[in-house]
Amino acid sequence: MYSTSEASPRTKQVRQLDRVIIRFAGDSGDGMQLTGDRFTQESAAFGNDLVTLPNFPAEIRAPQGTIPGVSSFQVHFADHDILTAGDSPDVLVAMNPAALKANLSDLAKGAAIIVDTHDFTGRNLTKAGYATSPLDDGSLDEYDLHRVDLTGMTVEAVKEFGLSRKDAARAKNMFALGLLSWMYGRPTENTVEFLSRKFAKVPDIRDANITAFKMGWNFGETTETFIVQYEVKPAAMAPGTYRNITGNLALAYGLVAASVQSGLPIFLGSYPITPASDILHELSKHKGFGITTFQAEDEIAGVGAAIGASFAGQLGVTTTSGPGVALKGEAIGLAVMTELPLLVVNVQRGGPSTGLPTKTEQSDLLQAMFGRNGEAPVPIVAPQSPGDCFNAALEAVRIAVTYRTPVMLLSDGYLANGSEPWQVPDVAELPVIEPNFATGPNSTSTAADGTTTEVFLPYKRDEATLARPWAIPGTAGLEHRIGGLEKGAEHGNISYDPANHDLMVRTRQAKIDRIADSLPPLEVDDPSGAAKVLVLGWGSTYGPIGAGVRRVRKAGYNVAQTHLRHLNPFPKDLGDILARYDKVLVPEMNLGQLSMLLRAKYLVDAIGYNQVRGLPLKAAELAEAISELVRSAEGKCLP
Amino acid sequence: MTQISSTDLGLPGLRSGLDGVPSSGEKQTGKDFTSDQEVRWCPGCGDYAVLKAVQNFLPELGIRRENVVFISGIGCSSRFPYYLDTYGMHSIHGRAPSIATGLATAREDLSVFVVTGDGDALSIGGNHLIHALRRNVNMTVLLFNNRIYGLTKGQYSPTSEVGKVTKSTPVGSLDHPFNPVSLALGAEGAFVARTIDSDRKHLTSVLSAAAAHRGTSFVEIYQNCPIFNDGAFDAIKNPDTKADAIIPLVHGAPITFGKDKVTGKPTKGLIRNMDTGAIEVLDLGPAADQYAKDLLLVHDAHNPDPSTAFAISRLTDSGYLNQTPIGIFRQVERPAYDDQARDQIRTASQAATGAPTDRLSYLINGGDTWTVV
């Protein structure tokens, strides 16, 4: 693209592929996330379907050159609809020995490895724990190894800009990006534009990065090290406008949309925590929509302020991860008791305690269900892909506002930072959410002499939803007091009456159960109609489960799949669906939390497929597990 | 976003804490602010006096009842909102300032009060209190300090004196107590005051000044618990001792206290020790140095530097209370967090053009998009 035909010494082969998985890996200061993100944007613009998986250490800059400091970004792109970031990379770009060592075990034999030879020094090899250089000792013989002096060529290419050697070498990630962009025929205009924008204020750095990027491309075009260029054609996708989007960004946009569609200003009370902080960052940019973002002194103050704002008539939201939810538990109970709308977003990460802050897990489901004192039911909604975070946020807000209740939205680290092409919705088709504030008395009171007066009963319920009125301060005649003490039915004053408490506990539960009336039937994907095994998941395992199920069907087996967006209450037809299948497999990134709920509620012998590695499930391994179960359900012998 | 000062808000001069809250139009009485709920504090509890004072001072503010909100935490005093016919929330232990922060930031048209106690505000909720004070959110915090845990039946509190024997400290408490006023000044509270449950006139005047102050107003109210800590404030209530025990702070007046039995004149005053900079008590008896008398400290609540106010707060006894300054320690103007937060939103909203749905569509269609036909 940047070289003329004369510069090309020989004709390169072009090979067609239907999909490719590339992993960029380097030191956490090497700019791998940016490199991966740019490659993703180029692939998106080209029209491939794609899914990404960033993977980075919790330390901002772990010691350079060490295994704990390795940061990577995996992108899977294809000419067809794909569901996961891929199990095993076809190409690994390793910027140093540690990056190679940390990632090699994920590669299949024959995979391509591109290493920056410049960084394979004795010192770096020692830091990574190599006794001898893997480039020379034959240990990589079964891989397609490409040795490229990325740093040396970058420094040489940007010489004219007079940067220090260190600054010049920093552009090596763009050289690598240029090379990979050539190799897969990616469009480059957006990246050049992006670099011009990003480094507008530092022309030398800008020019060095753009030059390194172009030189990387040209190197691919001219070198004899790489003789094959690959082509992955655009995927067939439904007509519409698309953009690549991460889960956290989609979730933030979903909240903006919920605000517009409900007319309620958003008040986000939040305390920074990985991997949820990007939602706070994003919403803080959108004050023009009337959104308040309050960075609180702690997790409790974040949810407290959100509850205060909800009492005031705004849409209180708090965003956090598992440890934050643990701290917010009492306040969420207060919102259960006061029956105020509140959205609690938990971007789950590996636990317990501080756990694995930058890794993904689904282990907060039971915390969301039961992590409060008393009978304190909270509806739970979970998105299934990065782009789906938009719809899930809207749905969670619908429930919170309609039923006057805190709602838990369970995203996770994989959804938060992973990305996929997202078909931008038509705003005119988004649901409208009606706050229905109370404006006047809702009952009458009869005095001893028979005279009646109009009164306001803050705990008188809507017959259909069992929701109580939302009367906000400033509304004359509706003055009332709420709080954490048990309320008397209808009048809402403090009540210690045993029968009243029993009634109120049951009513709060019944209100949450009523939400099921508003849910659509579950979609069960059972193309043959003959499946004996159902695979049931929730949240971000949608991708790996879908990919695993496809593999199993391709191999000639029958299997059904369904995925839960609503974890509390469950959809009304779930029990019937479970009963239709001989075996139910529940893959989760925990030790069987959904399985436990299903077993308790439906007396179904849910079989768990559980991994807690801080990473998404692998489709191939899952497919094995599904196949085995299908074979046993159908009475077939193991091969 | 650049720093917004009150002048950028286009408002002439200083803003009252009640600016933006609609006025009532018609005359209201204490009865209008009294709910139908039976008051359930122990007989003789100091909370009754504070409740009565609040019910009677609220109508004087001239604002609409429906625009007044009381938020409380947990503890005896936190039952307060139930007895006022305004909007209210009896929330969870220690968190009232955070809930009030969300409420006050969301709505400029509300007058927000926080009712809390020494355990609620200084122990479990200490963090929220100091952060509300530093942010200066427009709210009035009433801290009822009885120096004991009442609702949990008599354990020592963070304001109890060292050595206090309670149910949880049979051989005496080891905890060094907080001085709530010192703490509030240390957190850069812009309005910090102390008053007494039994002095209706002083209580009412301090509450009125607190409500009129824009930003977080902090009022410590000494409140007697007749069940678990009776007599904690006897020295400042007993007619024979109170003149010596109370150091009254009046803005613009020399700080003197004590009462000569014959002349009725003050027997003591505060001066600054020019060598150490400390604030000290000077005996104003006949033998007193006239030069020193001329240097009596004149109380300046409006001093932007809080150090003198802090030094005065240190004259409070931390053990049994025999001496304590009472009044408004500090009253200075500082931009309120909620005003500035709303101003940022107002500025951004005014700059945004088009219907919200159009702007939403523009937002989600931003970034690098591509079209499939």
Side-chain angles (χ1 to χ4, degrees):
Chain A
M1 195 165 285
Y2 293 102
S3 59
T4 59
S5 55
E6 296 93 297
S8 195
R10 49 182 288 189
T11 314
K12 302 251 177 175
Q13 261 177 276
V14 175
R15 209 173 285 164
Q16 295 282 335
L17 294 174
D18 63 346
R19 65 189 190 97
V20 176
I21 301 161
I22 298 177
R23 186 182 292 176
F24 297 93
D27 218 46
S28 40
D30 282 345
M32 292 298 98
Q33 301 303 318
L34 175 72
T35 309
D37 191 54
R38 285 319 311 167
F39 192 90
T40 303
Q41 296 296 350
E42 291 173 2
S43 300
F46 183 72
N48 293 133
D49 194 13
L50 59 90
V51 180
T52 67
L53 172 65
N55 192 353
F56 43 86
E59 295 79 14
I60 302 301
R61 293 276 189 279
Q64 217 176 2
T66 62
I67 304 260
V70 174
S71 165
S72 71
F73 189 103
Q74 182 165 316
V75 52
H76 181 189
F77 58 103
D79 67 359
H80 58 280
D81 155 39
I82 52 171
L83 295 164
T84 73
D87 292 353
S88 178
D90 301 308
V91 183
L92 171 68
V93 179
M95 305 301 278
N96 65 13
L100 176 67
K101 188 157 194 188
N103 291 286
L104 191 62
S105 62
D106 289 339
L107 302 189
K109 304 288 180 219
I113 302 175
I114 299 169
V115 295
D116 181 2
T117 52
H118 183 272
D119 274 22
F120 278 69
T121 60
R123 191 154 166 265
N124 282 345
L125 288 164
T126 310
K127 275 194 209 169
Y130 279 118
T132 57
S133 172
L135 305 186
D136 305 323
D137 65 6
S139 62
L140 301 177
D141 283 355
E142 288 176 290
Y143 300 93
D144 176 18
L145 177 67
H146 301 271
R147 304 149 197 262
V148 185
D149 183 3
L150 291 170
T151 304
M153 282 193 287
T154 303
V155 170
E156 188 60 29
V158 305
K159 220 176 185 172
E160 57 175 299
F161 304 108
L163 300 174
S164 69
R165 197 186 149 76
K166 197 177 157 210
D167 277 348
R170 283 175 67 101
K172 66 184 171 187
N173 63 332
M174 286 300 113
F175 191 98
L177 178 64
L179 174 60
L180 271 289
S181 298
W182 167 80
M183 206 181 286
Y184 293 97
R186 307 287 92 183
T188 55
E189 300 82 356
N190 287 346
T191 294
V192 173
E193 250 175 60
F194 169 84
L195 291 170
S196 307
R197 260 198 327 269
K198 183 175 170 72
F199 297 115
K201 288 186 183 150
V202 272
D204 288 350
I205 307 269
R206 174 195 63 200
D207 295 345
N209 274 284
I210 293 175
T211 302
F213 177 61
K214 290 181 176 176
M215 292 307 282
W217 175 286
N218 290 349
F219 173 72
E221 183 99 327
T222 54
T223 183
E224 299 194 2
T225 312
F226 297 98
I227 50 166
V228 185
Q229 201 180 7
Y230 300 91
E231 189 174 41
V232 180
K233 294 200 161 136
M237 293 168 112
T241 300
Y242 288 81
R243 62 182 288 178
N244 186 52
I245 200 160
T246 64
N248 272 351
L249 184 60
L251 202 154
Y253 283 177
L255 292 176
V256 177
S259 175
V260 169
Q261 296 301 98
S262 66
L264 296 169
I266 281 180
F267 183 102
L268 174 66
S270 184
Y271 187 78
I273 186 169
T274 302
S277 303
D278 279 342
I279 304 170
L280 166 64
H281 303 161
E282 183 62 31
L283 287 177
S284 68
K285 296 179 198 164
H286 302 299
K287 295 182 171 41
F289 284 96
I291 293 171
T292 305
T293 51
F294 170 64
Q295 184 176 313
E297 59 270 24
D298 61 25
E299 295 280 0
I300 302 172
V303 66
I307 290 171
S310 284
F311 187 43
Q314 297 196 344
L315 180 59
V317 180
T318 190
T319 49
T320 188
S321 189
V325 174
L327 288 164
K328 294 176 199 289
E330 187 191 16
I332 298 169
L334 176 69
V336 169
M337 201 65 157
T338 52
E339 303 191 37
L340 288 171
L342 173 73
L343 179 61
V344 181
V345 178
N346 177 356
V347 184
Q348 298 166 96
R349 63 190 215 185
S353 187
T354 311
L356 302 170
T358 59
K359 312 293 179 199
T360 196
E361 209 160 280
Q362 293 182 301
S363 47
D364 297 344
L365 175 59
L366 295 182
Q367 179 195 43
M369 278 296 287
F370 303 119
R372 293 161 297 282
N373 61 307
E375 296 284 352
V378 167
I380 303 169
V381 175
Q384 63 183 31
S385 71
D388 187 48
C389 289
F390 180 87
N391 289 327
L394 266 168
E395 170 66 356
V397 172
R398 176 192 74 85
I399 293 173
V401 171
T402 308
Y403 294 87
R404 319 301 199 207
T405 176
V407 174
M408 193 78 76
L409 181 57
L410 286 184
S411 179
D412 66 36
Y414 171 49
L415 296 176
N417 293 315
S419 67
E420 66 173 353
W422 176 56
Q423 189 178 358
V424 182
D426 181 355
V427 170
E429 284 168 17
L430 296 178
V432 172
I433 299 165
E434 188 49 67
N436 279 321
F437 289 125
T439 52
N442 57 359
S443 190
T444 51
S445 151
T446 308
D449 64 1
T451 55
T452 60
T453 46
E454 290 197 307
V455 293
F456 175 63
L457 299 176
Y459 277 76
K460 185 173 172 173
R461 294 175 188 280
D462 179 271
E463 280 178 21
T465 62
L466 296 181
R468 77 176 189 91
W470 190 7
I472 64 172
T475 317
L478 307 192
E479 295 84 359
H480 64 284
R481 276 66 56 194
I482 56 177
L485 284 172
E486 184 60 285
K487 303 281 163 283
E490 301 212 333
H491 58 73
N493 292 320
I494 300 173
S495 168
Y496 296 106
D497 179 65
N500 176 74
H501 178 58
D502 188 84
L503 172 71
M504 291 299 275
V505 167
R506 289 174 196 280
T507 306
R508 284 187 288 265
Q509 181 64 52
K511 180 178 81 166
I512 301 309
D513 294 343
R514 284 282 173 97
I515 295 166
D517 290 349
S518 70
L519 305 183
L522 265 180
E523 284 175 27
V524 182
D525 177 33
D526 184 1
S528 68
K532 289 182 156 48
V533 171
L534 172 72
V535 186
L536 172 72
W538 68 280
S540 76
T541 51
Y542 175 75
I545 293 174
V549 162
R550 277 185 197 173
R551 283 173 188 241
V552 171
R553 285 181 188 152
K554 226 176 198 172
Y557 296 107
N558 292 322
V559 62
Q561 185 202 350
T562 190
H563 208 74
L564 295 177
R565 172 187 290 302
H566 297 92
L567 282 307
N568 192 34
F570 286 129
K572 286 179 141 176
D573 51 352
L574 179 58
D576 291 341
I577 290 166
L578 292 172
R580 291 212 295 266
Y581 295 91
D582 293 351
K583 305 263 185 201
V584 177
L585 183 71
V586 185
E588 292 181 87
M589 295 185 289
N590 59 39
L591 295 185
Q593 301 194 3
L594 176 61
S595 296
M596 182 187 284
L597 296 177
L598 295 171
R599 284 167 166 267
K601 185 160 169 80
Y602 300 107
L603 294 175
V604 60
D605 184 19
I607 302 163
Y609 175 86
N610 306 95
Q611 285 193 353
V612 278
R613 303 170 66 248
L615 292 166
L617 302 179
K618 292 195 171 184
E621 293 172 12
L622 181 55
E624 280 295 307
I626 299 170
S627 302
E628 201 173 303
L629 191 63
V630 171
R631 283 192 292 263
S632 93
E634 296 185 352
K636 289 177 186 160
C637 297
L638 292 176
Chain B
M1 184 71 52
T2 49
Q3 173 87 15
I4 310 290
S5 72
S6 60
T7 49
D8 295 328
L9 299 169
L11 297 157
L14 304 176
R15 303 192 68 197
S16 155
L18 301 172
D19 277 3
V21 183
S23 54
S24 59
E26 60 203 55
K27 189 161 166 55
Q28 302 173 112
T29 67
K31 205 163 161 260
D32 295 322
F33 284 89
T34 306
S35 79
D36 60 358
Q37 297 297 295
E38 184 194 354
V39 184
R40 292 187 196 168
W41 287 308
C42 307
C45 178
D47 290 356
Y48 282 99
V50 185
L51 176 62
K52 205 78 199 153
V54 167
Q55 284 167 340
N56 286 322
F57 114 96
L58 283 174
E60 292 169 14
L61 296 177
I63 53 175
R64 287 192 193 165
R65 188 162 60 102
E66 63 268 24
N67 290 73
V68 176
V69 188
F70 275 77
I71 308 287
S72 63
I74 293 293
C76 295
S77 58
S78 289
R79 296 295 181 98
F80 214 85
Y82 292 118
Y83 308 134
L84 292 166
D85 200 9
T86 64
Y87 282 88
M89 191 194 294
H90 177 207
S91 73
I92 44 177
H93 209 5
R95 318 302 170 196
S98 65
I99 291 165
T101 294
L103 187 76
T105 305
R107 296 276 299 273
E108 185 175 19
D109 63 332
L110 303 179
S111 177
V112 179
F113 291 83
V114 167
V115 178
T116 182
D118 40 322
D120 194 55
L122 301 175
S123 201
I124 196 167
N127 198 30
H128 308 306
L129 179 70
I130 58 174
H131 287 277
L133 287 162
R134 85 173 160 88
R135 285 191 193 101
N136 202 29
V137 183
N138 193 25
M139 63 168 96
T140 300
V141 179
L142 312 182
L143 189 159
F144 293 37
N145 182 9
N146 57 12
R147 308 185 73 186
I148 198 77
Y149 281 156
L151 199 62
T152 50
K153 297 188 167 48
Q155 301 82 9
Y156 72 102
S157 92
T159 57
S160 298
E161 61 274 19
V162 172
K164 191 164 193 71
V165 173
T166 71
K167 276 187 184 157
S168 58
T169 50
V171 291
S173 154
L174 304 174
D175 284 25
H176 184 78
F178 266 139
N179 175 333
V181 167
S182 297
L183 183 79
L185 290 167
E188 298 192 39
F191 183 104
V192 178
R194 175 184 285 153
T195 182
I196 308 167
D197 58 357
S198 53
D199 186 345
R200 166 82 71 90
K201 205 173 143 209
H202 191 263
L203 178 60
T204 304
S205 74
V206 168
L207 291 181
S208 301
H213 179 82
R214 196 157 194 91
T216 304
S217 307
F218 175 84
V219 182
E220 180 191 10
I221 304 170
Y222 281 151
Q223 173 250 322
N224 191 48
C225 172
I227 308 296
F228 297 110
N229 202 19
D230 198 20
F233 305 104
D234 270 3
I236 59 170
K237 297 188 177 193
N238 184 330
D240 296 334
T241 56
K242 72 178 195 184
D244 281 319
I246 294 175
I247 307 174
L249 303 177
V250 179
H251 177 68
I255 307 172
T256 60
F257 60 110
K259 195 175 176 183
D260 188 276
K261 287 196 174 78
V262 183
T263 64
K265 284 186 175 171
T267 55
K268 285 176 271 192
L270 300 189
I271 57 159
R272 186 184 299 280
N273 181 320
M274 288 304 170
D275 293 331
T276 65
I279 304 296
E280 294 176 348
V281 176
L282 174 75
D283 189 343
L284 296 178
D289 181 343
Q290 185 57 44
Y291 175 70
K293 277 185 174 171
D294 291 344
L295 288 180
L296 275 177
L297 194 65
V298 174
H299 184 48
D300 180 10
H302 301 164
N303 187 348
D305 179 350
S307 24
T308 304
F310 185 85
I312 294 170
S313 77
R314 302 313 298 161
L315 298 172
T316 314
D317 288 328
S318 68
Y320 185 78
L321 199 66
N322 286 314
Q323 174 184 288
T324 182
I326 298 285
I328 299 170
F329 288 71
R330 185 166 198 242
Q331 184 175 14
V332 298
E333 296 300 325
R334 189 151 73 77
Y337 171 89
D338 51 316
D339 284 334
Q340 294 189 300
R342 284 187 298 265
D343 197 68
Q344 286 188 343
I345 289 169
R346 205 174 290 130
T347 304
S349 301
Q350 282 163 358
T353 51
T357 45
D358 293 341
R359 286 191 279 131
L360 172 63
S361 185
Y362 181 80
L363 173 71
I364 61 179
N365 279 284
D368 295 336
T369 61
W370 69 97
T371 304
V372 176
V373 288

